[in-house]
Amino acid sequence: MIKFFRKIRQKMLTENKFSKYLIYGIGEIILVVIGILIALSINNWNEKKKDNDFENEMLAQIQENLANDKKALNNIKIIFNNAISSSNKILELKRSEENLDSLKYWLADIIQFERFQPITNSYETLKSKGLDKVSNKELRMLLGAYYDDEINHVIKSVGDVEYSFNNDWIPIMKEIIVDFKFQDYVIVSDPKIFSQPSTARNILTLNKDNYRGGLNRVITAINSIDKLEKILEKTLKE
């Protein structure tokens, strides 16, 4: 093709048809420019398609990760609600009720802990490539709020319960626990310590606050996941 155009130019020059050569030269430049523009458009289209494919792949993985997070958080929500409810029942115990068979199960709801480990690998991959890869602005903001802020609060709050278990309950358990099965039952030697002023009762009260604070964080995170799931479902269908 290049040789073909070169021969035409040479023929025009030898025939002294400069005006026609000039017009031809301009036309050739225009053709080259058009070719470059077409090549750039194709390249841009390919890059845009790659970005869209990457975005959809990451968002689909994040959607799956969020579903697993939500399942774990709902389980923690149930456990924390049970701990708060059992704490209230024990704190309301009267001395005449101190031998209730239910006490060992209520204590098992309280003297335990859970852990929350969110799945963040897909989000971190997306983040490393730039969150601007996510075309939906609202989705970008919600993803950042959940992964960079909310889950850190949840991890801290859930960790506070474990900290209390290790640093508050274990020392007392060594003194008063007769028998113990994690998250099943806790039998104490003297149930009176929970129905009268004592270190164990104080820890029970403080621990209830830990559970309440953790529960609020967990509920907030679940609500955020609900919003994210709705937007993700809509975005991936488009």
Side-chain angles (χ1 to χ4, degrees), residues 15-64:
E15 293 177 357
N16 199 23
K17 296 178 179 180
F18 180 75
S19 60
K20 289 184 178 181
Y21 172 76
L22 184 61
I23 294 172
Y24 170 81
I26 294 172
E28 187 177 350
I29 293 172
I30 292 173
L31 286 175
V32 172
V33 171
I34 291 173
I36 293 172
L37 291 175
I38 291 173
L40 287 173
S41 296
I42 293 173
N43 183 64
N44 289 337
W45 182 85
N46 286 332
E47 289 300 319
K48 185 174 178 62
K49 187 177 184 304
K50 287 181 182 178
D51 287 343
N52 288 338
D53 290 344
F54 174 76
E55 177 187 2
N56 289 334
E57 181 183 358
M58 289 299 101
L59 292 183
Q61 290 180 17
I62 288 173
Q63 186 180 43
E64 184 178 347

Side-chain angles (χ1 to χ4, degrees), residues 116 118 146-157:
F116 175 59
Y146 175 76
Y147 281 106
D148 294 329
D149 184 33
E150 289 178 11
I151 58 173
N152 293 322
H153 290 304
V154 174
I155 292 170
K156 174 65 169 60
S157 294

Side-chain angles (χ1 to χ4, degrees), residues 48-90:
K48 185 174 178 62
K49 187 177 184 304
K50 287 181 182 178
D51 287 343
N52 288 338
D53 290 344
F54 174 76
E55 177 187 2
N56 289 334
E57 181 183 358
M58 289 299 101
L59 292 183
Q61 290 180 17
I62 288 173
Q63 186 180 43
E64 184 178 347
N65 292 343
L66 288 171
N68 290 324
D69 283 359
K70 187 176 178 180
K71 183 178 179 180
L73 288 169
N74 275 318
N75 182 58
I76 293 173
K77 178 182 174 183
I78 292 171
I79 290 171
F80 279 20
N81 266 320
N82 289 340
I84 293 169
S85 175
S86 293
S87 295
N88 288 330
K89 290 173 183 176
I90 294 174

